[in-house]
Amino acid sequence: MVAPPDNDVIWARSLHHSHNGSPALAGVSLGVREGEVLAVHGPRGSGKTTLLRCLSGQTVADEGEVSFNGSALHTLPPYRRERLRRERFAWIGPESSLVPELTVWENAALPLLLRGTPRRQAKAQAQEWLDHLDIGPLARQRPHALSQAQRQRVATARAIAAAPTVLFADEPTASLHRLDRAQLLRTMLAAIRSHRITVVLATHDPEVAALADRTAFLVDGRRVSSLSAAETEGRAECSLSV
Amino acid sequence: MLALRLARGAHPLVLLRRLLVATASAGVGFLLLSALTHALSHPGESSSSLLRLSWCLIPLAATVQFAVAVARTDPSTRPRTGLSAVGLGPGRLAVLAAVSTTLSATLGSMVALLFFLHLRGDLTGLPFDGAAAELLAADQPLPLAAALILLTLAPLTATAAAALALRPRTAEPAPDALPKPPAAPGGLPWGCALTAAGLAVGTYAARVKGGATVQLPGELDAHPLGVLLGWALTAVGLAVAGPALTHFCGRLLQTRRPGGVRLIAGRILMAEARRIGRPLGVLCAVASAAIAAWALYDAGPGPFGPLTGLGATLVIACTTATLLTAVTDARYARSTAVQGLRELGAPAKSFRLAAGLRTLVLLLVFAPLTWAVATLAAAPLTG
């Protein structure tokens, strides 16, 4: 095994993974430095989500290594990976996946409550981030009363309020309109940079990828140096459907 | 045909549930046929035969409740975007569910008929043939039309109830819309009032001599009709109060600064109060009736007969199975939320802990209640 570089928080080497025989990752190597925002940019079906799931320990790749802070992640038993996800990582998906039974602030405070943080402190921390993301007044509402954009803000607050080391964001703005998208991303990235949270951001949108410090391009489960070929292909498909 | 084809690929647990519906339907069919044979062998005692027939209504009701619960939770009849896109919307799926219910219930009725004829000695070649020839009036020819009508009773009512329960009522929600949590169920005042009234009627009727009397199945001494009416009122009261009590249990779970697990467990219980509370209330009513009846038979001259035993087993098994089916359904309904929590790193242990907490608090509230109601209901009869 090659020793992972010291300054990488997350480091992966030649990840191979397939879902029921259809290949998703074909030898991806990646290093994420501390405090940086890394965009994983590629078209739909290029293996972005699978890569993020492997890096966050939700899925163990068929082949290859993943390490977090210099120690191997892929060899850990499931409950240790769960604890890592609970205490060091945060996840924002394309859907907000809030718990419908809980109120907005309880949803945002849930990772803290699951860690055993006292209720009062968890509430204060969640409320602070809800205010930061301009949804403070909605704290007592249930998720069903919120718009899609507001729900995604709650999911963001939930991820950041737990003060993670690494934040995985899988197409966090895919279901939003342009205006909401730009605003949410700007607020999110400002908050992240001020707290030096490391971010791995998967996106198919070049505008979103442009906001990151560094971009890794992914096509058909492989890292490529640029996305020009894949992008023109995507454009052609779009023009047909319009 | 589609119902059969979908059943072929179904999960074994789903098939087991349908098999249980068939078994329950077979039990009800057998009880109804036994009531018919009582009428055949005792031509003079029509009121007693009618009473036997009407006692069969309780297992029939339990079976229908179970069949509806199974049809409601059947994954092959759940609205699916894929099937909706090919024109199989919620309306057609309700029809499909009703057809599946008919199939399993009819299968049960056929088995009941075969078993009945076998025990009567009409079908030979297997062990125990004619074992109950005397009890089942083997010397009398079986009236075909009557037997068929009785056997179609369970499938027909189950189908009608399933179709009625699953008929599409509101417009389909958008796929990305979150389900709106249901409002807190009312019904606690009504439930309490009905239970109290039932207990009062029962106690009062037991003291008054010389009213109309009713015989319990398999027992010789008659009891005042008012006592049974009281029991029925109590049972209805418990079933009505069930959802509100479950909601209260959820609230109880989150008292005094809950952590993550207690918070989730309590909120889930509150959200599922309607789904789980009703079968739980019914089960509670059945259990309290069973406890009271047990005390009664214990004090009486002898043990109850095989048919009474079959009926009681059927009712208890059906109500328990209905509750379990509702729990499975509730579990399916929150699978997306659970998936989201797993992404956050919520450990599998915490879900088990939450489920254990919910069960514990429900037991702590419902078990003493059942016992108290049973004791109060049995007091005037045995004392």
Side-chain angles (χ1 to χ4, degrees):
Chain A
M1 176 176 167
V2 185
D6 290 340
N7 55 348
D8 282 357
V9 180
I10 294 257
W11 178 84
R13 197 172 72 90
S14 58
L15 289 176
H16 288 263
H17 193 72
S18 57
H19 301 294
N20 285 336
S22 55
L25 295 179
V28 178
S29 299
L30 192 77
V32 189
R33 278 174 232 129
E34 196 186 340
E36 80 168 341
V37 177
L38 173 75
V40 177
H41 180 27
R44 277 170 193 278
S46 58
K48 302 185 297 289
T49 301
T50 313
L51 179 62
L52 256 64
R53 290 181 70 91
C54 287
L55 294 180
S56 65
Q58 289 183 53
T59 314
V60 175
D62 297 339
E63 279 175 53
E65 297 157 11
V66 181
S67 70
F68 167 65
N69 273 349
S71 54
L73 182 84
H74 60 285
T75 51
L76 291 179
Y79 70 93
R80 292 278 304 279
R81 279 187 273 124
E82 264 167 15
R83 204 169 74 192
L84 211 56
R85 283 212 299 282
R86 198 160 64 240
E87 292 177 356
R88 310 299 297 275
F89 296 165
W91 179 275
I92 307 174
E95 303 285 329
S96 51
S97 67
L98 303 175
V99 184
E101 288 91 2
L102 302 182
T103 61
V104 162
W105 83 258
E106 283 165 340
N107 263 299
L110 194 57
L112 289 166
L113 290 172
L114 283 174
R115 282 184 201 172
T117 313
R119 194 175 163 85
R120 198 183 295 263
Q121 189 191 334
K123 183 174 183 176
Q125 241 166 297
Q127 188 64 49
E128 185 194 329
W129 280 107
L130 290 174
D131 289 336
H132 217 86
L133 290 164
D134 302 333
I135 39 171
L138 302 174
R140 294 192 164 276
Q141 303 265 4
R142 295 286 181 89
H144 72 88
L146 269 54
S147 72
Q148 188 92 22
Q150 287 167 334
R151 274 183 227 157
Q152 207 58 21
R153 278 162 189 265
V154 179
T156 311
R158 176 174 71 179
I160 305 175
T165 312
V166 187
L167 170 69
F168 295 94
D170 180 19
E171 300 274 11
T173 52
S175 55
L176 303 186
H177 291 294
R178 282 181 77 91
L179 255 177
D180 292 332
R181 184 183 308 179
Q183 201 184 354
L184 175 63
L185 274 173
R186 231 178 290 128
T187 336
M188 189 170 109
L189 290 177
I192 284 164
R193 290 212 165 96
S194 65
H195 284 69
R196 291 203 46 84
I197 299 171
T198 310
V199 179
V200 185
L201 173 72
T203 181
H204 69 275
D205 186 348
E207 285 176 34
V208 175
L211 294 170
D213 300 332
R214 196 157 64 91
T215 304
F217 297 101
L218 210 62
V219 173
D220 292 343
R222 275 175 229 281
R223 273 191 75 173
V224 291
S225 52
S226 82
L227 212 58
S228 51
E231 219 166 276
T232 44
E233 203 177 300
R235 291 265 160 77
E237 272 169 36
C238 284
S239 62
L240 274 180
S241 64
V242 167
Chain B
M1 277 323 280
L2 183 60
L4 280 176
R5 182 64 196 84
L6 284 175
R8 241 188 71 199
H11 191 272
L13 201 64
V14 176
L15 292 181
L16 177 72
R17 286 207 290 255
R18 291 206 188 149
L19 198 64
L20 283 178
V21 171
T23 316
S25 159
V28 171
F30 190 83
L31 282 177
L32 288 168
L33 286 178
S34 308
L36 176 66
T37 55
H38 182 268
L40 284 178
S41 50
H42 306 83
E45 307 169 22
S46 59
S47 67
S48 150
S49 301
L50 197 64
L51 186 64
R52 272 165 177 267
L53 197 63
S54 47
W55 276 117
C56 294
L57 288 181
I58 298 174
L60 179 67
T63 304
V64 168
Q65 189 208 8
F66 179 47
V68 170
V70 167
R72 204 192 282 276
T73 56
D74 202 337
S76 66
T77 54
R78 223 167 247 147
R80 281 185 278 190
T81 33
L83 284 181
S84 191
V86 297
L88 211 58
R92 297 292 297 276
L93 283 175
V95 175
L96 205 61
V99 170
S100 304
T101 311
T102 320
L103 275 177
S104 20
T106 312
L107 180 73
S109 285
M110 308 268 274
V111 171
L113 180 63
L114 288 178
F115 192 64
F116 174 78
L117 291 177
H118 172 62
L119 282 185
R120 245 167 76 98
D122 292 346
L123 299 175
T124 51
L126 286 165
F128 303 118
D129 51 347
E134 199 183 334
L135 180 69
L136 299 179
D139 48 339
Q140 307 268 347
L142 196 66
L144 184 67
L148 282 184
I149 285 175
L150 287 179
L151 280 176
T152 48
L153 207 56
L156 279 185
T157 36
T159 307
L164 203 65
L166 293 176
R167 71 186 189 279
R169 263 166 291 196
T170 46
E172 277 176 276
D176 62 333
L178 279 178
K180 194 177 171 183
L188 194 58
W190 271 109
C192 288
L194 282 172
T195 311
L199 290 173
V201 166
T203 316
Y204 178 73
R207 295 226 176 131
V208 177
K209 304 286 176 211
T213 56
V214 174
Q215 229 174 343
L216 282 182
E219 221 201 11
L220 292 177
D221 25 324
H223 293 291
L225 182 65
V227 173
L228 292 171
L229 275 180
W231 267 14
L233 270 180
T234 314
V236 171
L238 279 177
V240 168
L245 278 176
T246 314
H247 193 265
F248 168 73
C249 287
R251 203 165 273 278
L252 205 64
L253 254 181
Q254 335 162 29
T255 42
R256 287 201 48 80
R257 306 221 177 119
V261 173
R262 266 204 302 145
L263 185 69
I264 291 178
R267 282 300 159 79
I268 286 178
L269 203 54
M270 279 164 75
E272 284 168 1
R274 254 167 230 276
R275 212 190 292 251
I276 289 183
R278 184 89 53 200
L280 196 60
V282 172
L283 181 63
C284 194
V286 167
S288 70
I291 296 173
W294 189 262
L296 202 62
Y297 281 114
D298 226 25
F304 47 84
L307 288 179
T308 317
L310 174 64
T313 314
L314 209 58
V315 172
I316 293 173
C318 277
T319 42
T320 314
T322 307
L323 178 62
L324 291 180
T325 312
V327 169
T328 326
D329 186 33
R331 206 168 140 179
Y332 174 84
R334 50 165 201 273
S335 52
T336 6
V338 167
Q339 182 58 36
L341 285 174
R342 294 310 297 268
E343 279 170 4
L344 292 180
K349 199 179 68 187
S350 66
F351 295 113
R352 284 198 292 273
L353 193 62
L357 273 178
R358 287 201 298 272
T359 318
L360 185 73
V361 75
L362 286 178
L363 266 179
L364 280 180
V365 169
F366 276 85
L369 180 74
T370 309
W371 182 81
V373 168
T375 319
L376 285 175
L381 294 173
T382 51

